[in-house]
């Protein structure tokens, strides 16, 4: 939900081919197409499920998950601090997680011009991630993350977006149904709700030309927020889709101290639950939060001394999400939630416990943001879990 330093890096730089040595792909993975335009229903046999797929069952199956963040969504893996290791998949499965969500910067590894071919070495790396996740019994969500040019200029990038997904869907169309496809993380910017609803229809049509199996995970517009669900159009004729929201409220608590955020978010010392230990500046008490108040008139996500961080705020928002699920008849998934390491540990544990419990009480599967970086729950150097946070997510672990 925050802007990254690499967003300003020119696209050309991002197009440098992945030079990392990559393990070999499994036989189960389809070969890459060399040209997006070659992906048509006539050239590729569409995969079909053995039995009809129930999206609610697929959502339930996601259970408890973790995002492998700060790895493959950087322009080059490692630039955001994490290079995925084979041992991570086992460690995650042994801790009892059911799912990994894998944020991936596909757009940094595809040609800028038609046919927008995805780099084969990068595809091979993703093959390896999928293979290792499935090998350890984990559901694997492959998520297109940080295609910032698309959010900034959808009309110039829509064809490329669809062509990249045609290639991904073709390559993985024969994988088991524990692989899930998430077309785009947190649509925002010029990719307005109207734009996103239209583009979503196009990309789903392209995916379904070749892949009739894999469950889609559709992010709400407006950064994947619960409020964004109000503006999403349910996909017509597409039953195999789960809709997704991300939960970071109250932002001045979860994102305190995150580098690269604007002044409104530069909070420190905000505790959960309870009042902030340092008062918020006036510019942190209005501005960007006004739109939240519009939807929740008697409710503000902004903690102040007189309106402290309170579990009832979580309850209210998640109640609203449940209401959306009931009225739309479509399953919801909480694809990201987490609190940054600048918050005090006890507050992070309290917040994580509350959000996780409240989500589960409403039957929502979830994926924590994230595994081993700034919001992380695992220390890759000592190779140890943060037991307090792990306990908040997996009671009894
Ligand atoms: C972004 C991360 C961010 C997280 C929490 C994710 O979708 O990609 O960079 O830290 O949300 O804001």
């Amino acid at each position: 939900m925050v802007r990254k330093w690499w967003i300003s890096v020119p696209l050309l730089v991002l197009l440098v081919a992945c030079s990392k040595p990559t393990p070999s792909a499994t036989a189960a993975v389809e070969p890459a197409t060399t040209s997006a335009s070659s992906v048509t229903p006539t050239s590729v046999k569409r995969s079909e499920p053995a039995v009809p797929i129930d999206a609610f069952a697929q959502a339930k199956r996601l259970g408890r998950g973790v995002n492998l963040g700060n790895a493959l969504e950087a322009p080059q893996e490692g630039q955001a601090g994490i290079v995925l290791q084979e041992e991570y998949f086992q460690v995650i499965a042994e801790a009892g997680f059911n799912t990994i969500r894998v944020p991936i910067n596909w757009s940094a590894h595809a040609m800028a011009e038609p046919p927008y071919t995805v780099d084969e070495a990068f595809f091979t790396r993703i093959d390896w991630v999928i293979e290792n996740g499935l090998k350890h019994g984990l559901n694997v969500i492959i998520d297109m993350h940080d295609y910032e040019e698309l959010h900034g200029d959808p009309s110039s990038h829509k064809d490329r977006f669809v062509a990249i997904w045609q290639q991904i869907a073709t390559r993985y169309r024969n994988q088991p149904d524990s692989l899930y496809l998430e077309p785009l993380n947190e649509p925002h910017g010029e990719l307005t709700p109207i734009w996103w609803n239209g583009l979503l229809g196009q990309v789903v049509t392209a995916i379904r030309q070749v892949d009739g199996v894999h469950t889609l995970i559709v992010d709400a517009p407006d950064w994947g927020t619960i409020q964004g669900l109000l503006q999403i159009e349910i996909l017509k004729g597409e039953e195999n889709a789960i809709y997704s929201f991300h939960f970071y409220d109250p932002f001045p608590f979860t994102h305190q101290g995150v580098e690269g955020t604007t002044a409104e978010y530069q909070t420190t010392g905000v505790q959960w639950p309870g009042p902030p230990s340092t008062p918020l500046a006036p510019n942190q008490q209005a501005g960007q939060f006004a739109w939240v108040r519009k939807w929740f008139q008697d409710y503000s996500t902004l903690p102040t001394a007189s309106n402290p961080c309170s579990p009832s705020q979580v309850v209210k928002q998640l109640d609203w999400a449940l209401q959306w699920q009931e009225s739309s008849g479509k399953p919801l998934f909480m694809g990201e939630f987490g609190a940054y390491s600048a918050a005090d540990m006890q507050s992070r544990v309290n917040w994580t416990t509350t959000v996780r419990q409240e989500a589960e009480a409403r039957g929502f599967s979830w994926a924590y943001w994230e595994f081993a970086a700034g919001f992380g729950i695992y220390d890759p150097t000592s190779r140890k879990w943060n037991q307090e946070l792990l306990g908040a997510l997996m009671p009894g672990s």
Side-chain angles (χ1 to χ4, degrees):
M1 194 129 179
V2 285
R3 220 157 237 292
K4 321 287 167 58
W5 60 265
W6 61 76
I7 296 302
S8 54
V9 175
L11 183 62
L12 267 181
V13 178
L14 307 184
L15 296 173
V16 177
C18 174
S19 54
K20 190 183 328 315
T22 46
S24 58
T26 51
V29 173
E30 291 290 315
T33 52
T34 49
S35 151
S37 57
S38 70
V39 180
T40 63
T42 49
S43 64
V44 173
K45 192 170 177 316
R46 181 180 131 109
S47 59
E48 298 294 346
V51 287
I53 296 196
D54 173 357
F56 271 94
Q58 284 290 91
K60 191 168 167 44
R61 173 187 195 176
L62 290 172
R64 296 171 165 172
V66 63
N67 279 277
L68 296 184
N70 290 49
L72 289 156
E73 79 270 34
Q76 297 296 329
E77 188 181 0
Q79 285 180 330
I82 306 291
V83 175
L84 297 181
Q85 307 294 324
E86 196 162 340
E87 69 197 53
Y88 294 169
F89 300 91
Q90 184 170 352
V91 165
I92 289 170
E94 280 175 359
F97 287 97
N98 311 102
T99 296
I100 47 173
R101 178 173 180 261
V102 192
I104 302 171
N105 199 327
W106 293 102
S107 58
H109 300 275
M111 286 168 54
E113 303 297 332
Y116 308 114
T117 308
V118 176
D119 175 56
E120 176 55 26
F122 188 68
F123 248 145
T124 306
R125 179 68 173 159
I126 306 301
D127 296 347
W128 173 85
V129 172
I130 295 172
E131 178 196 345
N132 274 283
L134 298 181
K135 189 166 92 189
H136 288 96
L138 296 163
N139 306 304
V140 178
I141 302 170
I142 49 176
D143 147 47
M144 183 177 286
H145 215 89
D146 286 348
Y147 189 170
E148 216 43 47
E149 301 87 351
L150 176 69
H151 300 282
D153 183 2
S155 64
S156 302
H157 282 268
K158 63 181 181 1
D159 294 346
R160 185 168 182 257
F161 170 66
V162 172
I164 293 173
W165 269 109
Q166 279 184 312
Q167 295 169 75
I168 301 169
T170 302
R171 189 172 183 104
Y172 299 123
R173 72 193 193 285
N174 292 324
Q175 290 287 306
D177 59 15
S178 48
L179 178 73
Y180 294 63
L181 310 179
E182 184 168 337
L184 191 68
N185 182 61
E186 299 183 351
H188 62 270
E190 296 304 311
L191 193 56
T192 58
I194 290 178
W195 247 108
W196 177 228
N197 286 327
L199 189 53
L200 182 61
Q202 284 177 42
V203 78
V204 169
T205 302
I207 291 172
R208 287 296 180 236
Q209 282 176 352
V210 292
D211 179 355
V213 170
H214 293 105
T215 304
L216 305 173
I217 297 190
V218 175
D219 285 33
D222 272 341
W223 295 97
T225 51
I226 290 180
Q227 296 78 16
L229 288 171
L230 285 171
Q231 301 182 71
I232 199 159
E233 263 173 35
I234 300 297
L235 286 161
K236 291 191 186 67
E238 178 54 64
E239 296 304 321
N240 190 11
I242 296 168
Y243 294 77
S244 170
F245 67 92
H246 296 172
F247 193 88
Y248 288 107
D249 284 339
F251 216 76
F253 167 68
T254 63
H255 279 63
Q256 57 189 301
V258 173
E259 301 78 15
T261 52
T262 50
E264 287 87 353
Y265 301 116
Q266 300 292 316
T267 43
T268 52
V270 182
Q271 298 168 355
W272 179 277
S277 55
T278 37
L280 298 174
N283 72 339
Q284 292 166 342
Q285 300 189 17
Q288 303 197 14
F289 296 96
W291 61 273
V292 174
R293 293 203 186 91
K294 202 166 87 198
W295 299 116
F296 298 93
Q297 279 165 5
D298 60 342
Y299 160 72
S300 161
T301 57
L302 187 67
T304 64
S306 58
N307 180 22
C309 286
S310 139
S312 68
Q313 299 176 355
V314 172
V315 167
K316 190 159 187 169
Q317 293 233 45
L318 293 180
D319 270 350
W320 196 90
L322 184 60
Q323 228 176 298
W324 184 92
Q325 178 175 270
E326 284 167 358
S327 58
S328 67
K330 299 294 172 189
L332 272 179
F333 169 57
M334 187 166 73
E336 289 186 13
F337 73 110
Y340 191 61
S341 48
D344 71 90
M345 183 54 71
Q346 191 55 52
S347 291
R348 290 176 77 197
V349 169
N350 295 345
W351 182 87
T352 304
T353 304
T354 303
V355 178
R356 195 262 310 154
Q357 281 177 343
E358 295 295 335
E360 291 184 348
R362 289 159 183 77
F364 297 141
S365 296
W366 49 261
Y368 181 79
W369 185 270
E370 35 60 39
F371 177 56
F375 290 69
I377 48 177
Y378 181 80
D379 180 348
T381 310
S382 66
R383 299 160 120 187
K384 289 205 169 81
W385 289 101
N386 176 323
Q387 284 301 336
E388 291 161 287
L389 283 171
L390 184 64
L393 293 169
M394 315 286 285
S397 60

